Amino acid sequence: MLNMASQVIETQGSRRRSAGFTLLELLVVMVIIGLLAGFVAPKYFAQVGKSQVKAARAQIDALDKALEAYRIDVGHLPTSEQGLAALQLQPQGEQNWAGPYLKKDVPLDPWGSPYLYVAPGTHNNDYDLVSYGKDGRPGGTGEDADIGNW
């Protein structure tokens, strides 16, 4: 009887030991997850950057169309001082203004900075519409490159 009781206790003890994971097993799993994240994360974040550049180009295109509609109605583009706000609010003295020319407020670029509007433009356009990219400064390459309507 004593022999049988010790076998039951021994069996229950071995079950308890095999019921969980050891620290070593958990560390191995964490290392594997870390390695996978190290390979996947850079590719994912590169796609996010590309989509922000595409969104900026799409917003500039929409602003271009709104500025052209403004020009058709008013007869000229807004001045640099009036800026893109003239697409939402009628500037003083503009009798033929038929806006608002945008359904929503003038958007910020995908990085949270306002678009730069300059009339007349310096890139062989009547106006320049620019986002300075991720870094918010003129020039740059990749995601930091300027995105404009030229």
Side-chain angles (χ1 to χ4, degrees):
M1 185 80 162
L2 184 62
N3 191 15
M4 192 175 197
S6 66
Q7 284 179 343
V8 169
I9 291 172
E10 192 175 296
T11 305
Q12 288 175 348
S14 66
R15 281 189 204 147
R16 276 191 222 129
R17 277 186 251 132
S18 66
F21 296 105
T22 65
L23 181 60
L24 182 61
E25 290 170 329
L26 290 174
L27 288 174
V28 168
V29 169
M30 289 175 63
V31 166
I32 291 170
I33 290 172
L35 288 171
L36 289 173
F39 288 122
V40 173
K43 292 180 181 182
Y44 170 75
F45 288 116
Q47 294 302 318
V48 170
K50 288 178 185 177
S51 67
Q52 288 175 319
V53 169
K54 288 179 183 178
R57 286 197 174 114
Q59 287 177 334
I60 287 174
D61 185 51
L63 291 170
D64 270 338
K65 290 175 181 166
L67 285 165
E68 289 304 320
Y70 179 99
R71 183 192 334 226
I72 290 168
D73 289 345
V74 177
H76 58 85
L77 290 166
T79 64
S80 294
E81 292 77 29
Q82 291 170 330
L84 296 174
L87 298 174
Q88 283 297 111
L89 301 171
Q90 182 174 3
Q92 285 185 323
E94 297 296 349
Q95 302 302 322
N96 295 330
W97 190 86
Y101 296 94
L102 296 171
K103 291 181 181 179
K104 298 180 181 178
D105 290 339
V106 176
L108 297 175
D109 72 10
W111 300 277
S113 300
Y115 286 98
L116 177 66
Y117 170 77
V118 179
T122 58
H123 291 91
N124 297 326
N125 287 321
D126 295 332
Y127 61 94
D128 288 344
L129 190 55
V130 183
S131 167
Y132 285 139
K134 185 177 182 178
D135 65 354
R137 294 182 300 197
T141 58
E143 291 178 45
D144 295 335
D146 299 346
I147 303 164
N149 65 329
W150 54 88

PDB file of all heavy atoms in Angstrom, residues 41-68:
ATOM      1  N   ALA A  41       9.620  43.753 -39.718  1.00  0.00           N
ATOM      2  CA  ALA A  41       9.348  45.157 -39.388  1.00  0.00           C
ATOM      3  C   ALA A  41       9.925  46.148 -40.408  1.00  0.00           C
ATOM      4  O   ALA A  41       9.214  47.058 -40.833  1.00  0.00           O
ATOM      5  CB  ALA A  41       9.837  45.473 -37.984  1.00  0.00           C
ATOM      6  N   PRO A  42      11.184  46.026 -40.833  1.00  0.00           N
ATOM      7  CA  PRO A  42      11.697  47.002 -41.804  1.00  0.00           C
ATOM      8  C   PRO A  42      10.919  47.004 -43.122  1.00  0.00           C
ATOM      9  O   PRO A  42      10.672  48.060 -43.701  1.00  0.00           O
ATOM     10  CB  PRO A  42      13.149  46.560 -42.037  1.00  0.00           C
ATOM     11  CG  PRO A  42      13.513  45.800 -40.817  1.00  0.00           C
ATOM     12  CD  PRO A  42      12.249  45.135 -40.365  1.00  0.00           C
ATOM     13  N   LYS A  43      10.500  45.837 -43.579  1.00  0.00           N
ATOM     14  CA  LYS A  43       9.722  45.774 -44.820  1.00  0.00           C
ATOM     15  C   LYS A  43       8.361  46.425 -44.627  1.00  0.00           C
ATOM     16  O   LYS A  43       7.857  47.118 -45.505  1.00  0.00           O
ATOM     17  CB  LYS A  43       9.578  44.329 -45.291  1.00  0.00           C
ATOM     18  CG  LYS A  43      10.897  43.734 -45.736  1.00  0.00           C
ATOM     19  CD  LYS A  43      10.750  42.323 -46.207  1.00  0.00           C
ATOM     20  CE  LYS A  43      12.130  41.785 -46.603  1.00  0.00           C
ATOM     21  NZ  LYS A  43      12.082  40.449 -47.107  1.00  0.00           N
ATOM     22  N   TYR A  44       7.754  46.217 -43.468  1.00  0.00           N
ATOM     23  CA  TYR A  44       6.447  46.820 -43.184  1.00  0.00           C
ATOM     24  C   TYR A  44       6.564  48.339 -43.128  1.00  0.00           C
ATOM     25  O   TYR A  44       5.769  49.048 -43.728  1.00  0.00           O
ATOM     26  CB  TYR A  44       5.896  46.283 -41.861  1.00  0.00           C
ATOM     27  CG  TYR A  44       4.683  47.020 -41.390  1.00  0.00           C
ATOM     28  CD1 TYR A  44       3.447  46.826 -41.993  1.00  0.00           C
ATOM     29  CD2 TYR A  44       4.763  47.947 -40.360  1.00  0.00           C
ATOM     30  CE1 TYR A  44       2.327  47.510 -41.573  1.00  0.00           C
ATOM     31  CE2 TYR A  44       3.655  48.637 -39.928  1.00  0.00           C
ATOM     32  CZ  TYR A  44       2.433  48.417 -40.544  1.00  0.00           C
ATOM     33  OH  TYR A  44       1.340  49.110 -40.123  1.00  0.00           O
ATOM     34  N   PHE A  45       7.546  48.859 -42.412  1.00  0.00           N
ATOM     35  CA  PHE A  45       7.668  50.307 -42.266  1.00  0.00           C
ATOM     36  C   PHE A  45       8.088  50.982 -43.565  1.00  0.00           C
ATOM     37  O   PHE A  45       7.754  52.135 -43.800  1.00  0.00           O
ATOM     38  CB  PHE A  45       8.620  50.655 -41.126  1.00  0.00           C
ATOM     39  CG  PHE A  45       8.025  50.368 -39.777  1.00  0.00           C
ATOM     40  CD1 PHE A  45       8.578  49.419 -38.945  1.00  0.00           C
ATOM     41  CD2 PHE A  45       6.884  51.033 -39.360  1.00  0.00           C
ATOM     42  CE1 PHE A  45       8.020  49.142 -37.713  1.00  0.00           C
ATOM     43  CE2 PHE A  45       6.309  50.758 -38.128  1.00  0.00           C
ATOM     44  CZ  PHE A  45       6.878  49.818 -37.300  1.00  0.00           C
ATOM     45  N   ALA A  46       8.794  50.275 -44.438  1.00  0.00           N
ATOM     46  CA  ALA A  46       9.114  50.830 -45.755  1.00  0.00           C
ATOM     47  C   ALA A  46       7.834  51.024 -46.562  1.00  0.00           C
ATOM     48  O   ALA A  46       7.693  52.010 -47.289  1.00  0.00           O
ATOM     49  CB  ALA A  46      10.089  49.919 -46.497  1.00  0.00           C
ATOM     50  N   GLN A  47       6.888  50.110 -46.435  1.00  0.00           N
ATOM     51  CA  GLN A  47       5.608  50.239 -47.143  1.00  0.00           C
ATOM     52  C   GLN A  47       4.807  51.411 -46.609  1.00  0.00           C
ATOM     53  O   GLN A  47       4.129  52.101 -47.360  1.00  0.00           O
ATOM     54  CB  GLN A  47       4.797  48.943 -47.031  1.00  0.00           C
ATOM     55  CG  GLN A  47       5.425  47.769 -47.741  1.00  0.00           C
ATOM     56  CD  GLN A  47       5.650  48.021 -49.215  1.00  0.00           C
ATOM     57  OE1 GLN A  47       4.811  48.582 -49.897  1.00  0.00           O
ATOM     58  NE2 GLN A  47       6.811  47.633 -49.710  1.00  0.00           N
ATOM     59  N   VAL A  48       4.873  51.650 -45.297  1.00  0.00           N
ATOM     60  CA  VAL A  48       4.169  52.793 -44.702  1.00  0.00           C
ATOM     61  C   VAL A  48       4.716  54.087 -45.290  1.00  0.00           C
ATOM     62  O   VAL A  48       3.966  54.993 -45.647  1.00  0.00           O
ATOM     63  CB  VAL A  48       4.291  52.778 -43.158  1.00  0.00           C
ATOM     64  CG1 VAL A  48       3.771  54.076 -42.560  1.00  0.00           C
ATOM     65  CG2 VAL A  48       3.545  51.593 -42.586  1.00  0.00           C
ATOM     66  N   GLY A  49       6.039  54.199 -45.408  1.00  0.00           N
ATOM     67  CA  GLY A  49       6.662  55.396 -45.976  1.00  0.00           C
ATOM     68  C   GLY A  49       6.246  55.624 -47.418  1.00  0.00           C
ATOM     69  O   GLY A  49       5.954  56.756 -47.820  1.00  0.00           O
ATOM     70  N   LYS A  50       6.199  54.554 -48.199  1.00  0.00           N
ATOM     71  CA  LYS A  50       5.782  54.680 -49.597  1.00  0.00           C
ATOM     72  C   LYS A  50       4.331  55.132 -49.695  1.00  0.00           C
ATOM     73  O   LYS A  50       3.978  55.930 -50.562  1.00  0.00           O
ATOM     74  CB  LYS A  50       5.954  53.351 -50.329  1.00  0.00           C
ATOM     75  CG  LYS A  50       7.387  52.983 -50.603  1.00  0.00           C
ATOM     76  CD  LYS A  50       7.477  51.629 -51.288  1.00  0.00           C
ATOM     77  CE  LYS A  50       8.899  51.187 -51.465  1.00  0.00           C
ATOM     78  NZ  LYS A  50       8.992  49.840 -52.056  1.00  0.00           N
ATOM     79  N   SER A  51       3.489  54.642 -48.816  1.00  0.00           N
ATOM     80  CA  SER A  51       2.079  55.035 -48.869  1.00  0.00           C
ATOM     81  C   SER A  51       1.901  56.491 -48.467  1.00  0.00           C
ATOM     82  O   SER A  51       1.016  57.171 -48.988  1.00  0.00           O
ATOM     83  CB  SER A  51       1.226  54.120 -47.999  1.00  0.00           C
ATOM     84  OG  SER A  51       1.538  54.288 -46.639  1.00  0.00           O
ATOM     85  N   GLN A  52       2.733  57.005 -47.565  1.00  0.00           N
ATOM     86  CA  GLN A  52       2.656  58.422 -47.209  1.00  0.00           C
ATOM     87  C   GLN A  52       3.053  59.306 -48.387  1.00  0.00           C
ATOM     88  O   GLN A  52       2.431  60.346 -48.613  1.00  0.00           O
ATOM     89  CB  GLN A  52       3.537  58.720 -45.997  1.00  0.00           C
ATOM     90  CG  GLN A  52       2.975  58.158 -44.706  1.00  0.00           C
ATOM     91  CD  GLN A  52       3.907  58.344 -43.537  1.00  0.00           C
ATOM     92  OE1 GLN A  52       5.120  58.177 -43.651  1.00  0.00           O
ATOM     93  NE2 GLN A  52       3.339  58.677 -42.385  1.00  0.00           N
ATOM     94  N   VAL A  53       4.048  58.903 -49.146  1.00  0.00           N
ATOM     95  CA  VAL A  53       4.455  59.664 -50.334  1.00  0.00           C
ATOM     96  C   VAL A  53       3.319  59.657 -51.361  1.00  0.00           C
ATOM     97  O   VAL A  53       2.990  60.694 -51.947  1.00  0.00           O
ATOM     98  CB  VAL A  53       5.757  59.080 -50.934  1.00  0.00           C
ATOM     99  CG1 VAL A  53       6.053  59.672 -52.297  1.00  0.00           C
ATOM    100  CG2 VAL A  53       6.923  59.310 -49.976  1.00  0.00           C
ATOM    101  N   LYS A  54       2.682  58.502 -51.553  1.00  0.00           N
ATOM    102  CA  LYS A  54       1.558  58.423 -52.489  1.00  0.00           C
ATOM    103  C   LYS A  54       0.394  59.280 -52.017  1.00  0.00           C
ATOM    104  O   LYS A  54      -0.273  59.932 -52.830  1.00  0.00           O
ATOM    105  CB  LYS A  54       1.103  56.971 -52.661  1.00  0.00           C
ATOM    106  CG  LYS A  54       2.074  56.130 -53.458  1.00  0.00           C
ATOM    107  CD  LYS A  54       1.591  54.698 -53.573  1.00  0.00           C
ATOM    108  CE  LYS A  54       2.593  53.835 -54.311  1.00  0.00           C
ATOM    109  NZ  LYS A  54       2.144  52.431 -54.389  1.00  0.00           N
ATOM    110  N   ALA A  55       0.140  59.309 -50.724  1.00  0.00           N
ATOM    111  CA  ALA A  55      -0.941  60.134 -50.182  1.00  0.00           C
ATOM    112  C   ALA A  55      -0.647  61.611 -50.402  1.00  0.00           C
ATOM    113  O   ALA A  55      -1.551  62.383 -50.751  1.00  0.00           O
ATOM    114  CB  ALA A  55      -1.134  59.845 -48.699  1.00  0.00           C
ATOM    115  N   ALA A  56       0.599  62.026 -50.223  1.00  0.00           N
ATOM    116  CA  ALA A  56       0.970  63.425 -50.459  1.00  0.00           C
ATOM    117  C   ALA A  56       0.756  63.799 -51.921  1.00  0.00           C
ATOM    118  O   ALA A  56       0.231  64.877 -52.222  1.00  0.00           O
ATOM    119  CB  ALA A  56       2.427  63.659 -50.055  1.00  0.00           C
ATOM    120  N   ARG A  57       1.139  62.912 -52.831  1.00  0.00           N
ATOM    121  CA  ARG A  57       0.931  63.193 -54.263  1.00  0.00           C
ATOM    122  C   ARG A  57      -0.560  63.310 -54.590  1.00  0.00           C
ATOM    123  O   ARG A  57      -0.974  64.170 -55.367  1.00  0.00           O
ATOM    124  CB  ARG A  57       1.578  62.108 -55.102  1.00  0.00           C
ATOM    125  CG  ARG A  57       3.081  62.229 -55.127  1.00  0.00           C
ATOM    126  CD  ARG A  57       3.718  61.430 -56.256  1.00  0.00           C
ATOM    127  NE  ARG A  57       5.127  61.714 -56.302  1.00  0.00           N
ATOM    128  CZ  ARG A  57       6.080  60.828 -56.040  1.00  0.00           C
ATOM    129  NH1 ARG A  57       5.751  59.596 -55.727  1.00  0.00           N
ATOM    130  NH2 ARG A  57       7.345  61.171 -56.090  1.00  0.00           N
ATOM    131  N   ALA A  58      -1.365  62.456 -53.993  1.00  0.00           N
ATOM    132  CA  ALA A  58      -2.815  62.501 -54.229  1.00  0.00           C
ATOM    133  C   ALA A  58      -3.412  63.793 -53.672  1.00  0.00           C
ATOM    134  O   ALA A  58      -4.280  64.409 -54.309  1.00  0.00           O
ATOM    135  CB  ALA A  58      -3.496  61.285 -53.600  1.00  0.00           C
ATOM    136  N   GLN A  59      -2.964  64.220 -52.497  1.00  0.00           N
ATOM    137  CA  GLN A  59      -3.464  65.469 -51.923  1.00  0.00           C
ATOM    138  C   GLN A  59      -3.053  66.671 -52.768  1.00  0.00           C
ATOM    139  O   GLN A  59      -3.852  67.589 -52.983  1.00  0.00           O
ATOM    140  CB  GLN A  59      -2.976  65.642 -50.485  1.00  0.00           C
ATOM    141  CG  GLN A  59      -3.658  64.736 -49.506  1.00  0.00           C
ATOM    142  CD  GLN A  59      -3.110  64.868 -48.100  1.00  0.00           C
ATOM    143  OE1 GLN A  59      -1.960  65.242 -47.894  1.00  0.00           O
ATOM    144  NE2 GLN A  59      -3.941  64.546 -47.122  1.00  0.00           N
ATOM    145  N   ILE A  60      -1.826  66.671 -53.253  1.00  0.00           N
ATOM    146  CA  ILE A  60      -1.368  67.767 -54.115  1.00  0.00           C
ATOM    147  C   ILE A  60      -2.197  67.804 -55.391  1.00  0.00           C
ATOM    148  O   ILE A  60      -2.580  68.881 -55.864  1.00  0.00           O
ATOM    149  CB  ILE A  60       0.147  67.645 -54.405  1.00  0.00           C
ATOM    150  CG1 ILE A  60       0.937  68.020 -53.148  1.00  0.00           C
ATOM    151  CG2 ILE A  60       0.562  68.507 -55.585  1.00  0.00           C
ATOM    152  CD1 ILE A  60       2.428  67.805 -53.255  1.00  0.00           C
ATOM    153  N   ASP A  61      -2.513  66.645 -55.947  1.00  0.00           N
ATOM    154  CA  ASP A  61      -3.352  66.591 -57.150  1.00  0.00           C
ATOM    155  C   ASP A  61      -4.742  67.169 -56.869  1.00  0.00           C
ATOM    156  O   ASP A  61      -5.284  67.938 -57.670  1.00  0.00           O
ATOM    157  CB  ASP A  61      -3.462  65.147 -57.638  1.00  0.00           C
ATOM    158  CG  ASP A  61      -4.214  65.041 -58.950  1.00  0.00           C
ATOM    159  OD1 ASP A  61      -3.872  65.772 -59.900  1.00  0.00           O
ATOM    160  OD2 ASP A  61      -5.157  64.226 -59.022  1.00  0.00           O
ATOM    161  N   ALA A  62      -5.329  66.830 -55.723  1.00  0.00           N
ATOM    162  CA  ALA A  62      -6.654  67.354 -55.363  1.00  0.00           C
ATOM    163  C   ALA A  62      -6.596  68.867 -55.149  1.00  0.00           C
ATOM    164  O   ALA A  62      -7.508  69.598 -55.576  1.00  0.00           O
ATOM    165  CB  ALA A  62      -7.169  66.659 -54.110  1.00  0.00           C
ATOM    166  N   LEU A  63      -5.533  69.349 -54.522  1.00  0.00           N
ATOM    167  CA  LEU A  63      -5.383  70.791 -54.324  1.00  0.00           C
ATOM    168  C   LEU A  63      -5.175  71.507 -55.655  1.00  0.00           C
ATOM    169  O   LEU A  63      -5.675  72.620 -55.855  1.00  0.00           O
ATOM    170  CB  LEU A  63      -4.237  71.083 -53.361  1.00  0.00           C
ATOM    171  CG  LEU A  63      -4.482  70.671 -51.901  1.00  0.00           C
ATOM    172  CD1 LEU A  63      -3.197  70.779 -51.090  1.00  0.00           C
ATOM    173  CD2 LEU A  63      -5.575  71.525 -51.287  1.00  0.00           C
ATOM    174  N   ASP A  64      -4.434  70.879 -56.581  1.00  0.00           N
ATOM    175  CA  ASP A  64      -4.263  71.425 -57.939  1.00  0.00           C
ATOM    176  C   ASP A  64      -5.615  71.640 -58.612  1.00  0.00           C
ATOM    177  O   ASP A  64      -5.876  72.694 -59.208  1.00  0.00           O
ATOM    178  CB  ASP A  64      -3.434  70.476 -58.817  1.00  0.00           C
ATOM    179  CG  ASP A  64      -1.946  70.747 -58.752  1.00  0.00           C
ATOM    180  OD1 ASP A  64      -1.549  71.859 -58.389  1.00  0.00           O
ATOM    181  OD2 ASP A  64      -1.188  69.812 -59.073  1.00  0.00           O
ATOM    182  N   LYS A  65      -6.467  70.638 -58.522  1.00  0.00           N
ATOM    183  CA  LYS A  65      -7.790  70.729 -59.154  1.00  0.00           C
ATOM    184  C   LYS A  65      -8.632  71.826 -58.507  1.00  0.00           C
ATOM    185  O   LYS A  65      -9.335  72.563 -59.207  1.00  0.00           O
ATOM    186  CB  LYS A  65      -8.491  69.384 -59.088  1.00  0.00           C
ATOM    187  CG  LYS A  65      -7.844  68.358 -59.994  1.00  0.00           C
ATOM    188  CD  LYS A  65      -8.452  66.997 -59.850  1.00  0.00           C
ATOM    189  CE  LYS A  65      -7.697  66.047 -60.806  1.00  0.00           C
ATOM    190  NZ  LYS A  65      -7.972  64.667 -60.533  1.00  0.00           N
ATOM    191  N   ALA A  66      -8.559  71.942 -57.193  1.00  0.00           N
ATOM    192  CA  ALA A  66      -9.308  72.990 -56.505  1.00  0.00           C
ATOM    193  C   ALA A  66      -8.785  74.372 -56.888  1.00  0.00           C
ATOM    194  O   ALA A  66      -9.573  75.312 -57.094  1.00  0.00           O
ATOM    195  CB  ALA A  66      -9.212  72.788 -54.994  1.00  0.00           C
ATOM    196  N   LEU A  67      -7.466  74.506 -57.034  1.00  0.00           N
ATOM    197  CA  LEU A  67      -6.890  75.797 -57.441  1.00  0.00           C
ATOM    198  C   LEU A  67      -7.300  76.164 -58.870  1.00  0.00           C
ATOM    199  O   LEU A  67      -7.558  77.327 -59.168  1.00  0.00           O
ATOM    200  CB  LEU A  67      -5.362  75.761 -57.309  1.00  0.00           C
ATOM    201  CG  LEU A  67      -4.834  75.847 -55.879  1.00  0.00           C
ATOM    202  CD1 LEU A  67      -3.370  75.437 -55.815  1.00  0.00           C
ATOM    203  CD2 LEU A  67      -5.034  77.247 -55.323  1.00  0.00           C
ATOM    204  N   GLU A  68      -7.378  75.179 -59.746  1.00  0.00           N
ATOM    205  CA  GLU A  68      -7.818  75.443 -61.117  1.00  0.00           C
ATOM    206  C   GLU A  68      -9.290  75.857 -61.155  1.00  0.00           C
ATOM    207  O   GLU A  68      -9.669  76.742 -61.924  1.00  0.00           O
ATOM    208  CB  GLU A  68      -7.562  74.236 -62.015  1.00  0.00           C
ATOM    209  CG  GLU A  68      -6.094  73.989 -62.306  1.00  0.00           C
ATOM    210  CD  GLU A  68      -5.376  75.191 -62.918  1.00  0.00           C
ATOM    211  OE1 GLU A  68      -5.968  75.893 -63.778  1.00  0.00           O
ATOM    212  OE2 GLU A  68      -4.225  75.439 -62.529  1.00  0.00           O
TER     213      GLU A  68
END
